[in-house]
Amino acid sequence: MPNAPLQQADPVLPAERPSRRKVLLGWGLAVVLVAGGLGGFAGAWLERAGIGDVHLPQAAKVPAGRAPGSVAGIAARALPSVVTLHVSGDDEAGTGTGFVLDTRGHILTNNHVVAPASSGGEITVTFSTGDTARARVVGRDSGYDLAVVQVSGVRGLTPLALGDSDDVRVGDPVVAIGAPFDLANTVTSGIISAKERPITAGGEKGDGSDISYVDALQTDAPINPGNSGGPLLDAHAQVIGINSAIRSAGNDTDSGESQAGSIGLGFAIPANQARRVAEELINEGHATHPVIGVTLDMGYTGDAARVSAKGGTGGPAVQPGGPGDRAGLKAGDLVTEVDGHRVHSGEELIVKIRAHRPGDRLRLTVERAGAKRVVSLVLGASERN
């Protein structure tokens, strides 16, 4: 039998000619691709050439609310209670800050803010809403550099709560609100840089009657002239201090009205001290000062506070029957410590005494003729500076 021809497993079929429709479809696709390429090239060329409108991207929406402890959250709660004071007198005028203490219209500020109006001047209070009202001085005290004024006929006042300044710690975040250089509702932030800074401010009168002694909180929150009297707030929007003084570059003294800018050294009156003084100013019209009943030698340059040889009026330096006399203090004694804390000058001793209330008991370390001893005394009260 003749051999059968071999067969391929996959036979080859005759080639077919492409149809006209397929040819047209192919050309159409080619045209689209070429056109797209040309468009992209043209767009890139126009963009590089700076031709055409520019549309900048926008960030995503930020939630409207802010955390209560954030700077924005603290400011939102406190700003309605902070006011700007414009004060004018016979010879001078100035701007300061204050904040609402109660719904009766009492406002706390610095004494040096309202001092120009002490002899018949005028005080105008501007709220964060822009509304204004006249204010009168209820009471003021230069020794603590605090004053209370009051507005009448103003409804809807929101008081700021006074916090416990004894609980403040170095490094705690703080927010300051005020009107630096008359820029109302200015908010700055920082930390507590130090505590119990003995500072003195004032002294323009020359007789010492206007000097304030403050055991201050120090902060690096920017404070400038016009911030005086404004609140220093903690993370709970509670007032822990009243901004009062700054240290300025090229200025060797603490001042509430220096015209130099902030260098991060601001000082605030502790809220616990301000609370007592404000209550006395509102209820009594004046504040009492704790005293030990001795005259200090403010010119002494040694590392202590020295009891003067005689009193300011020529009488005894130790008031007979006063707290110092009952504790056994004598003229010439050196006070080196208060409750175990070192005292370097007469100013520091006054500051540490002013940080207490009349009736508080203190332990003083006293040096006499080279011998040291510790005495205990109960602070007296005085209405004098």
Side-chain angles (χ1 to χ4, degrees), residues 338-360:
V338 175
D339 288 339
H341 297 285
R342 183 72 189 183
V343 171
H344 302 283
S345 66
E347 287 84 358
E348 281 195 23
L349 177 57
I350 295 174
V351 166
K352 290 188 179 298
I353 292 171
R354 292 280 179 86
H356 292 80
R357 295 172 176 264
D360 286 352

Side-chain angles (χ1 to χ4, degrees), residues 254-350:
D254 299 308
S255 171
E257 290 301 323
S258 170
Q259 291 303 306
S262 170
I263 58 172
L265 293 174
F267 303 95
I269 302 167
N272 288 358
Q273 186 174 1
R275 178 187 288 105
R276 177 183 71 82
V277 174
E279 288 175 349
E280 290 186 352
L281 291 177
I282 293 171
N283 297 326
E284 308 294 336
H286 58 80
T288 56
H289 301 164
V291 295
I292 61 174
V294 304
T295 300
L296 298 177
D297 181 1
M298 304 306 285
Y300 180 65
T301 57
D303 190 26
R306 184 168 70 178
V307 179
S308 183
K310 59 181 180 180
T313 58
V318 180
Q319 177 186 348
D325 184 33
R326 293 193 297 269
L329 295 182
K330 303 293 184 183
D333 281 353
L334 298 177
V335 180
T336 59
E337 293 181 5
V338 175
D339 288 339
H341 297 285
R342 183 72 189 183
V343 171
H344 302 283
S345 66
E347 287 84 358
E348 281 195 23
L349 177 57
I350 295 174

